[in-house]
Amino acid sequence: MSETTLFSPVSVGTLQLDNRMVMAPMTRNRAGEGDTPQQMNVEYYRQRASAGLIITEASPVTAAAVGYPATPGIYTDQQVAGWRKITDAVHNEGGHIYIQLWYCGRISHPDLLPGRQQPVAPSAIRPEGEAVTYEGMKPFVEPRALTADEIQNIVAQYKHAAHMAQQAGFDGLEIHAANGYLIDQFLRDATNRRNDEYGGNVENRMRFLNQVLDAVLEVWESRHVGIRLSPENSFNDISDS
């Protein structure tokens, strides 16, 4: 029997990867006007296409999901066209690429959001620390607690982003449910103090993630979908009892 090494092929879902190296999502802050991927992004991913699988930097599912400057979104036709250049470049090099879907929630700042709106979260609890803005570091603000109807709107935005990811030519997608961003804020009891169907016990705190997953799976087969979790990570002032 031949020895399995880092360079041995492996199956992931429907993909046959040339090796077992997976490039993790890494925020680059290099998007152009309209938070659209540009030529710099194309070259960055093309250079790394020899990895078995690339998972892109996190990509906001709507303008209100943004939490950092110049992060490439996946909710407009212009952004889809930019990402399509990237997926074509990676595929032309023989690589495979997933996109990571992102909603930052309270880890944002009015300076980054349409109409300088207040960031949102499961509960109105301000994180410790500072946001990265175009003008430098600024203290986080207290977020606004989402209503149940607004949560459903966000679920629909994830579904829309999943459709856009297909149009952009991705091989699959990963739902970002880690690192203190919006889905993680629902999962953890330090940031989720709700008393409705989205708060309290673990089943309720998982409801938002499960609804996002169900919505995405209406667009993609499950073999093309992953979830990133970080249950013991305290990044972005996140914790759980």
Side-chain angles (χ1 to χ4, degrees):
M1 180 180 292
S2 61
E3 181 183 5
T4 298
T5 74
L6 185 63
F7 300 98
S8 301
V10 64
S11 297
V12 175
T14 61
L15 300 180
Q16 296 295 317
L17 308 185
D18 291 339
N19 57 66
R20 295 162 187 250
M21 289 179 282
V22 178
M23 177 176 156
M26 293 180 285
T27 300
R28 301 289 85 184
N29 306 98
R30 293 173 175 172
E33 184 179 354
D35 288 338
T36 298
Q38 54 186 331
Q39 187 56 39
M40 182 188 303
N41 306 96
V42 176
E43 183 63 11
Y44 172 79
Y45 286 108
R46 186 198 64 75
Q47 290 172 341
R48 290 155 178 80
S50 60
L53 175 64
I54 292 172
I55 304 174
T56 72
E57 61 204 281
S59 188
V61 300
T62 179
V66 171
Y68 298 85
T71 49
I74 186 64
Y75 52 91
T76 71
D77 291 338
Q78 182 182 11
Q79 291 164 352
V80 167
W83 280 118
R84 187 80 207 201
K85 294 176 182 178
I86 291 171
T87 61
D88 285 349
V90 170
H91 292 150
N92 287 340
E93 296 287 337
H96 300 90
I97 185 166
Y98 275 38
I99 189 170
Q100 189 184 65
L101 303 185
W102 199 23
Y103 204 118
C104 290
R106 72 179 194 156
I107 304 303
S108 186
H109 191 277
D111 285 2
L112 298 166
L113 300 176
R116 289 188 50 80
Q117 63 187 262
Q118 193 176 4
V120 297
S123 302
I125 302 171
R126 183 182 68 84
E128 295 294 326
E130 294 181 312
V132 183
T133 78
Y134 287 99
E135 297 176 353
M137 305 300 292
K138 295 186 179 183
F140 287 122
V141 302
E142 182 179 297
R144 179 178 59 80
L146 288 160
T147 68
D149 286 344
E150 288 175 323
I151 293 170
Q152 289 308 298
N153 289 338
I154 292 174
V155 171
Q157 289 164 348
Y158 272 95
K159 184 175 181 178
H160 173 71
H163 277 294
M164 301 298 259
Q166 282 189 335
Q167 294 179 28
F170 285 99
D171 298 302
L173 62 83
E174 180 178 80
I175 297 167
H176 195 348
N179 299 348
Y181 299 112
L182 184 62
I183 295 177
D184 202 20
Q185 292 160 27
F186 274 86
L187 294 175
R188 313 274 205 122
D189 61 17
T191 44
N192 186 344
R193 306 286 177 80
R194 302 176 71 94
N195 55 15
D196 63 0
E197 67 269 33
Y198 292 97
N201 60 36
V202 172
E203 181 180 6
N204 283 356
R205 299 203 310 272
M206 287 182 61
R207 192 177 307 277
F208 176 47
L209 170 57
N210 287 336
Q211 290 178 341
V212 168
L213 180 59
D214 287 344
V216 167
L217 292 179
E218 292 178 17
V219 182
W220 289 84
E221 292 183 13
S222 60
R223 292 175 297 176
H224 299 271
V225 176
I227 300 174
R228 178 170 291 256
L229 299 166
S230 59
E232 294 185 330
N233 191 339
S234 61
F235 183 63
N236 281 326
D237 194 30
I238 197 80
S239 63
D240 188 270
S241 61

